[in-house]
Amino acid sequence: RTGGGGALGSKTGSGQGLSDRGLQAAADAGLEIVEEAAAAAELVAGGARTTNPQLQMRLDLLSELGKRNDIRGFVRVFVPHDLTQEDTNYFAGELEGDETRWKQLVEEVTLIADGSRVTKIVGDQMTKAEFRYFMPNQSLNIHREVVFICENGDWRAEG
């Protein structure tokens, strides 16, 4: 055999090997597969529900408002504290005009409240809780995150 030792990334010999960028992409893809498998394993174990009763009450309220199709009521207790009334009204109007988006938001909040498809909750659950979960009704396993922040005892979605 002529040329270099044939190691990955070697520029000598008959093959080019993988570039540093190619190696990183392969490593990233492998890590993503491992993370998805770990998340799926957690899901099989029964999911995760918040341990904070006030946060659970807010999630249950949002789920109930969604089931009642009360978009304005839902938005009032969902949006971040620092959102202006004008922006709050705009968001509610957007949801009223897009039934698919509204239904998806309700499905996601409901599954977070239920906990069965939540793979992990990150944060202290006293001031911040990041829910990681699989999107409902998707052919692919799409992993999402939603963060809730507590200010003065009031839990809202992070902006």
Side-chain angles (χ1 to χ4, degrees):
R1 178 172 168 158
T2 60
L8 280 177
S10 171
K11 298 286 187 199
T12 60
S14 59
Q16 287 293 325
L18 287 174
S19 67
D20 287 343
R21 190 176 308 160
L23 285 171
Q24 186 61 49
D28 289 347
L31 180 60
E32 190 172 313
I33 290 169
V34 168
E35 287 174 346
E36 285 180 6
E42 287 181 45
L43 186 60
V44 169
R49 228 175 131 148
T50 182
T51 56
N52 183 304
Q54 288 78 23
L55 175 54
Q56 187 62 52
M57 284 175 40
R58 177 52 52 102
L59 295 170
D60 291 341
L61 173 63
L62 289 167
S63 180
E64 182 59 34
L65 291 168
K67 287 176 189 169
R68 288 190 212 158
N69 208 31
D70 183 353
I71 294 174
R72 295 278 168 174
F74 180 98
V75 167
R76 261 192 309 279
V77 295
F78 177 76
V79 297
H81 291 98
D82 61 354
L83 204 63
T84 66
Q85 188 60 50
E86 181 181 342
D87 287 339
T88 300
N89 289 338
Y90 179 80
F91 180 59
E94 289 281 303
L95 292 175
E96 289 169 340
D98 188 343
E99 184 178 347
T100 302
R101 185 176 172 199
W102 164 242
K103 297 277 186 216
Q104 182 175 338
L105 180 59
V106 170
E107 284 180 40
E108 290 184 42
V109 168
T110 299
L111 75 82
I112 290 170
D114 171 69
S116 62
R117 292 185 58 88
V118 174
T119 59
K120 190 175 202 176
I121 303 171
V122 178
D124 63 12
Q125 296 187 54
M126 300 303 290
T127 59
K128 182 177 182 176
E130 177 183 315
F131 294 86
R132 297 181 183 177
Y133 60 95
F134 286 110
M135 294 263 304
N137 305 318
Q138 302 290 319
S139 58
L140 300 173
N141 278 336
I142 300 171
H143 211 219
R144 298 246 312 182
E145 298 99 24
V146 172
V147 178
F148 283 85
I149 302 290
C150 185
E151 288 184 24
N152 299 318
D154 187 24
W155 285 93
R156 301 290 184 102
E158 183 176 59

